[in-house]
């Protein structure tokens, strides 16, 4: 059951330990995290604190050792590979630091790829015109209307990241998970990408989790949570030094 108070994402007691040889590395030691619908949250923490691990678990790219993840009130951890892939193709959009575009496909084809995966060949013939229109619409909106036929190697970093964001959104996901999306970009280009994310949140009500080690980047979100020692510290005042001082 969902109602207005059900978080879009609800993570409870998430634990993840990596094993390499005899060594155990407890990266997440019981993480609790909620994302409300329409909320824009940054997850910060030192390098190695488990930010990417947490984001990958929420994006169903990897499985936790224990704990639960609910999307819209429904458990999504522990699904079969097929149902997990289906959810990742419909409900969850992901963006990575290094874009992960397919080098042989042009910008438009990269954005269309998730929709081609979703529909079978025959169905694709029926829906492709509409799919192209929405992919083009997104690329236009991100200022890439003149780059539809460019391959990734013919695009700048900022352009590649905007293609990647368009690809993440073409499926109309419930949530966008972004892992250091400005990490490979110079400051000006990075702020352009952040501006795009803020605009998607404000204008479209897109729910966003943004992972970053950069405090200035994190401050663009509505709320900041900090990962440290494998757990989440809610730091609602972290964006506001005055509030932090008041809180002592
Ligand atoms: P962050 O994104 O905060 O920098 P990560 O989640 O990538 O941190 O990694 C957390 C810790 O887990 C790091 O010490 C990293 O080396 C380790 N780690 C990440 N992925 C693996 C893996 N697949 N196998 C073993 N150790 C890993
Ligand atoms: Mg990381």
């Amino acid at each position: 059951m969902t109602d207005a108070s059900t978080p879009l994402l609800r993570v409870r007691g998430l634990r993840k330990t990596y094993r390499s040889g005899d060594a155990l590395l407890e990266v997440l030691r019981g993480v609790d995290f909620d994302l409300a619908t329409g909320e824009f949250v940054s997850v910060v923490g030192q390098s190695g604190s488990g930010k990417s691990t947490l984001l990958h678990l929420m994006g169903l790219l990897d499985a936790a050792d224990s704990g639960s993840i609910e999307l819209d009130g429904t458990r999504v951890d522990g699904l079969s590979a097929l149902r997990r892939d289906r959810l990742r193709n419909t409900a969850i959009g992901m963006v990575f630091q290094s874009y992960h575009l397919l080098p042989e496909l042009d910008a438009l084809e990269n954005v269309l790829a998730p929709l081609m995966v979703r529909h079978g060949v025959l169905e694709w013939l029926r829906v492709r015109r509409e799919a192209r229109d929405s992919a083009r619409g997104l690329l236009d909106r991100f200022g890439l209307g003149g780059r539809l036929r460019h391959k990734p190697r013919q695009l700048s970093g900022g352009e590649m990241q905007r293609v990647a964001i368009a690809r993440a959104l073409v499926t109309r996901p419930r949530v966008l998970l972004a892992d250091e999306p400005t990490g490979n970009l110079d400051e000006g280009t990075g702020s352009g990408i952040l501006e795009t994310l803020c605009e998607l949140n404000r204008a479209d009500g897109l729910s966003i989790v943004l992972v970053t080690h950069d405090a200035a980047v994190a401050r663009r979100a509505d709320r900041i949570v900090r990962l440290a020692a494998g757990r989440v510290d809610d730091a609602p005042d972290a964006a506001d030094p005055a509030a932090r001082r008041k809180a002592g």
Side-chain angles (χ1 to χ4, degrees), residues 46-53 55-56 97 179-180 211-213:
Q46 290 185 340
S47 177
S49 60
K51 303 181 298 298
S52 295
T53 300
L55 205 76
H56 288 183
Q97 176 170 353
D179 192 356
E180 308 268 9
V211 157
T212 179
H213 67 277

Side-chain angles (χ1 to χ4, degrees), residues 33-150:
F33 173 75
D34 282 351
L35 180 76
T37 299
E39 202 179 13
F40 181 2
V41 173
S42 288
V43 176
V44 300
Q46 290 185 340
S47 177
S49 60
K51 303 181 298 298
S52 295
T53 300
L54 174 62
L55 205 76
H56 288 183
L57 293 176
M58 294 194 296
L60 311 183
L61 290 173
D62 197 4
D65 299 327
S66 58
S68 63
I69 303 173
E70 291 175 15
L71 182 67
D72 260 338
T74 302
R75 284 283 291 261
V76 295
D77 55 291
L79 295 177
S80 70
L82 193 70
R83 294 191 58 202
R84 202 168 58 222
D85 290 348
R86 185 80 196 167
L87 261 185
R88 299 197 54 246
N89 189 255
T90 52
I92 302 167
M94 293 194 81
V95 176
F96 303 93
Q97 176 170 353
S98 49
Y99 327 125
H100 292 189
L101 297 177
L102 293 168
E104 298 310 319
L105 302 185
D106 65 30
L108 183 62
E109 291 164 341
N110 264 287
V111 177
L112 283 172
L115 297 179
M116 296 181 78
V117 168
R118 178 187 299 183
H119 301 287
V121 176
L122 286 178
E123 206 191 13
W124 176 247
L125 295 178
R126 191 170 57 73
V127 302
R128 69 180 167 181
R129 184 185 301 272
E130 197 187 322
R132 280 216 187 97
D133 286 347
S134 52
R136 259 199 223 108
L138 279 166
L139 287 167
D140 264 340
R141 176 174 178 184
F142 298 152
L144 294 166
R147 302 286 190 281
L148 302 183
R149 293 298 168 202
H150 282 55

Side-chain angles (χ1 to χ4, degrees), residues 193-214:
I193 294 293
L194 279 175
E195 204 40 64
T196 297
L197 295 180
C198 290
E199 218 261 326
L200 287 163
N201 173 251
R202 253 191 332 257
D204 302 26
L206 182 66
S207 309
I208 301 176
V209 182
L210 168 68
V211 157
T212 179
H213 67 277
D214 182 330

